[in-house]
Amino acid sequence: MLSRVAETVYWLSRYVERAENIARFIDVNYNLTLGESESLSKQWTPLLETTADQDEFVKRYDSPTRENVLQFLSFDEQNGNSMISCVARARENARTIREVISSVVWEQLNKFHLLVQAAGHSPQTLEQPQAFCEQVRLTSHLLVGAMDATMSHDEAWHFSRLGRMIERGDKTSRLLDVQYYNLLPDGGSVGSSLDVVRWSALLRSASALESYRRLRGKIVPIRVAEFLMLDRKFPRAMHFAAMRARESMRMITGSELNSYCYHSEQLLGRLCSSLDYAVIDDILQDGLHEYIDQFQRQLNTIGQEIHEDFFSVDRLNAPPQASVMT
């Protein structure tokens, strides 16, 4: 498989997943601040941290008001991580590999592109973004379903899933980190009804509320964190994302279980192993933020190594050597 095609389909999925996650962040934060006090209604700055684009925002906007943050994250074409930019890049990537993707996927991507473009020209979207955010989530789900149902599950499909899972793991960790540390008004709210509302909102943002309640029952912050971080079966949990990324990596490389051929594969295996044996009590004792920060740095490194191992011409010329995982 050509490295250009692999990289294109990998990033296509990452862009679509990124757009969907931004919609999730906006929707939950909007609902949390709706009708709340003035101090709470101003808490839009943390959303900028989910994409780590605070510096870019400050260059062009006076203050992090609701309207400015929504415009920046949704329709600012100068922001490479905005929804409109992500969808445009995903469509452009798809255009260059029409022979790899199905016509259904191409049609869905065009509909996605038109949806975001049209919403960007409507003032109503920024005033009441819930309907738009829901459409983005559903369209993203349709795209993922179309790829699963209409594309051969070959290398291209696995590169697509690899990109989607790495992006999803990263965004779930950022959501958990930002919601927990930045949106709580003060320490006195911990354990209060407001605290329960916030943790419920966190679960809703990951479409996890029903699954959590069915499996864990009462909303307990430590269990919510455990569910979103370490659950092996919930599709948006960090552990699940890492496991599925490793599965696709192995299908691409052909490596045997507990072995690896590439550095990125080794790093991804180590990350999965650490999550396999992680315990939430230990994580909280050492610091939730510190653990998530380390997880994100590991994912970033894995993403860089994937680029070097599979998309960079220099390393592609060096044949991989199978090694046993240590």
Side-chain angles (χ1 to χ4, degrees):
M1 184 179 186
L2 294 174
S3 61
R4 176 188 65 81
V5 174
E7 183 175 18
T8 301
V9 75
Y10 170 86
W11 277 105
L12 188 162
S13 280
R14 289 201 66 161
Y15 288 136
V16 170
E17 183 71 23
R18 190 171 298 178
E20 178 188 337
N21 278 286
I22 293 171
R24 291 176 179 277
F25 301 156
I26 290 174
D27 189 37
V28 169
N29 203 62
Y30 179 82
N31 286 323
L32 274 174
T33 57
L34 196 62
E36 293 291 346
S37 63
E38 184 179 357
S39 60
L40 197 60
S41 66
K42 292 181 178 178
Q43 294 196 51
W44 285 86
T45 303
L47 287 192
L48 301 173
E49 299 177 22
T50 61
T51 57
D53 287 326
Q54 304 96 314
D55 295 339
E56 193 66 25
F57 177 86
V58 171
K59 291 178 184 176
R60 299 198 300 280
Y61 295 87
D62 295 332
S63 59
T65 62
R66 187 188 73 177
E67 290 73 18
N68 285 345
V69 173
L70 287 177
Q71 176 66 28
F72 178 73
L73 292 179
S74 301
F75 306 117
D76 190 336
E77 296 183 0
Q78 296 183 57
N79 172 17
N81 289 322
S82 68
M83 275 191 274
I84 200 167
S85 295
C86 288
V87 175
R89 289 182 179 182
R91 181 177 178 274
E92 179 59 22
N93 279 19
R95 188 187 63 78
T96 63
I97 53 167
R98 286 290 309 278
E99 74 282 4
V100 175
I101 63 174
S102 66
S103 58
V104 177
V105 173
W106 174 242
E107 290 168 7
Q108 284 299 327
L109 264 172
N110 276 300
K111 290 179 181 176
F112 201 178
H113 185 248
L114 292 174
L115 164 70
V116 179
Q117 289 282 340
H121 291 100
S122 171
Q124 184 74 15
T125 306
L126 293 182
E127 294 174 6
Q128 295 182 337
Q130 306 104 309
F132 169 64
C133 290
E134 183 178 1
Q135 286 182 308
V136 169
R137 291 199 307 273
L138 292 176
T139 306
S140 175
H141 292 174
L142 282 173
L143 260 171
V144 174
M147 296 184 84
D148 288 350
T150 64
M151 288 178 60
S152 295
H153 288 200
D154 54 11
E155 278 191 344
W157 184 85
H158 282 291
F159 269 112
S160 169
R161 189 171 75 155
L162 177 63
R164 183 167 65 252
M165 288 299 129
I166 288 179
E167 184 71 27
R168 183 176 297 178
D170 176 74
K171 288 298 179 289
T172 297
S173 69
R174 288 177 183 274
L175 182 65
L176 183 60
D177 194 26
V178 170
Q179 289 279 59
Y180 185 70
Y181 279 94
N182 295 329
L183 289 181
L184 283 176
D186 54 63
S189 66
V190 176
S192 66
S193 57
L194 177 61
D195 196 29
V196 172
V197 169
R198 288 186 171 281
W199 283 101
S200 299
L202 176 60
L203 287 167
R204 278 200 302 273
S205 68
S207 300
L209 183 59
E210 292 81 8
S211 293
Y212 174 87
R213 285 197 178 280
R214 182 170 60 83
L215 296 171
R216 309 290 178 99
K218 185 179 178 182
I219 301 291
V220 179
I222 186 174
R223 296 304 162 212
V224 175
E226 181 183 37
F227 187 71
L228 292 178
M229 296 174 74
L230 303 179
D231 196 88
R232 294 167 176 263
K233 298 180 179 177
F234 183 68
R236 307 199 74 82
M238 293 157 53
H239 193 182
F240 180 96
M243 289 168 59
R244 294 299 174 268
R246 181 176 57 176
E247 282 181 7
S248 283
M249 178 77 83
R250 285 186 52 221
M251 294 302 294
I252 292 168
T253 64
S255 299
E256 298 293 334
L257 188 64
N258 297 324
S259 67
Y260 61 90
C261 294
Y262 296 89
H263 190 213
S264 56
E265 191 174 18
Q266 179 190 26
L267 296 176
L268 189 52
R270 285 181 178 174
L271 177 62
C272 287
S273 295
S274 68
L275 289 166
D276 286 342
Y277 298 102
V279 178
I280 191 63
D281 292 332
D282 295 340
I283 292 173
L284 293 178
Q285 185 175 356
D286 295 337
L288 181 66
H289 172 73
E290 287 73 14
Y291 186 88
I292 291 175
D293 188 52
Q294 184 183 23
F295 176 85
Q296 290 170 355
R297 281 190 277 109
Q298 288 178 285
L299 271 189
N300 288 338
T301 303
I302 290 168
Q304 293 165 5
E305 290 303 313
I306 287 174
H307 175 82
E308 295 297 328
D309 287 339
F310 299 103
F311 311 144
S312 171
V313 176
D314 293 339
R315 198 174 292 185
L316 282 172
N317 291 330
Q321 300 292 327
S323 302
V324 176
M325 193 76 73
T326 56

